[in-house]
Amino acid sequence: METPPITPQSTPAPHRMAEAVARVARRINLTMEEGRDSLDLSDCSLVSFPDGVFKMMRSVTHTIHTISLANNQIKALSSKFFRTFTHLRELDLQGNVLKTLPEAIGDMEHLVSINLSRNQLTAFPDHLTDVSSLQHISLEENHITELPLEKLSLMPSLETLDVRCNPLKADSASVPHQFTLLT
């Protein structure tokens, strides 16, 4: 009798984990070797941001302007992440299971765009309103019911706030604002 081929569904969990670790390592090495200003760790089956990445990239963190952690299973990001990658301009966290963001995100001086679509947020991440450089915030398909529109209207650079497919209360969009609100 012939042995059936190994498919992704039948691959043992340790093998899948080893593949994920190898994929992360390859992507970090490519970023560093090619001097890229972006790090793409999307679709890597991550449940958190790997501590080893901080060590591997410590000499180039100031040159990283874009990070994608999209489509993983990340439950939380540490303050260390935001204190390490202080020059980030774009952060893609869509398709994870984040419920909150740490206070340290409020210290991001260069962040222009953040995508938090398709996560588990039940409240608007308040510390985002402390990021004066933010121009685009995407919070599509979360569980947010209210927006801090008064604080949002004080954000000097905010151009678009995308909150489509959230169970917003009717009065959540009633405060005058200078940005495009997609609901």
Side-chain angles (χ1 to χ4, degrees):
M1 185 172 179
E2 200 174 306
T3 307
I6 295 178
T7 61
Q9 293 81 12
S10 67
T11 305
H15 183 66
R16 281 198 309 269
M17 185 181 271
E19 285 177 357
V21 169
R23 186 173 31 240
V24 168
R26 275 193 307 273
R27 290 184 184 183
I28 292 167
N29 286 335
L30 266 176
T31 295
M32 294 182 67
E33 288 168 8
E34 296 179 5
R36 295 180 182 177
D37 69 347
S38 62
L39 175 62
D40 181 1
L41 296 181
S42 60
D43 301 297
C44 285
S45 303
L46 298 173
V47 293
S48 64
F49 191 79
D51 266 345
V53 175
F54 294 120
K55 292 179 183 101
M56 289 177 72
M57 298 191 74
R58 76 175 148 249
S59 65
V60 297
T61 56
H62 64 285
T63 64
I64 302 297
H65 296 143
T66 303
I67 293 181
S68 177
L69 296 170
N71 305 316
N72 284 293
Q73 293 100 37
I74 297 174
K75 295 177 181 166
L77 279 178
S78 67
S79 294
K80 181 179 182 179
F81 175 87
F82 295 102
R83 288 192 202 111
T84 301
F85 295 99
T86 56
H87 288 81
L88 274 186
R89 292 186 186 133
E90 295 178 35
L91 180 57
D92 187 352
L93 295 166
Q94 69 179 307
N96 281 288
V97 288
L98 294 167
K99 293 184 179 184
T100 61
L101 290 176
E103 190 176 321
I105 193 161
D107 299 328
M108 300 300 289
E109 295 178 10
H110 306 285
L111 194 63
V112 172
S113 176
I114 188 165
N115 189 340
L116 291 160
S117 299
R118 298 185 338 272
N119 272 282
Q120 300 296 314
L121 298 166
T122 56
F124 183 90
D126 257 349
H127 299 292
L128 284 180
T129 60
D130 298 331
V131 184
S132 61
S133 56
L134 258 178
Q135 295 175 10
H136 308 286
I137 303 171
S138 183
L139 292 161
E140 281 184 89
E141 294 182 46
N142 277 282
H143 309 286
I144 298 169
T145 57
E146 294 182 57
L147 296 174
L149 282 173
E150 288 184 30
K151 284 184 176 181
L152 287 164
S153 65
L154 299 175
M155 293 178 70
S157 303
L158 188 61
E159 294 174 13
T160 57
L161 173 61
D162 190 343
V163 289
R164 290 178 285 186
C165 300
N166 276 282
L168 292 172
K169 293 179 181 171
D171 62 346
S172 289
S174 60
V175 173
H177 46 274
Q178 270 45 49
F179 54 89
T180 302
L181 180 63
L182 303 172
T183 56

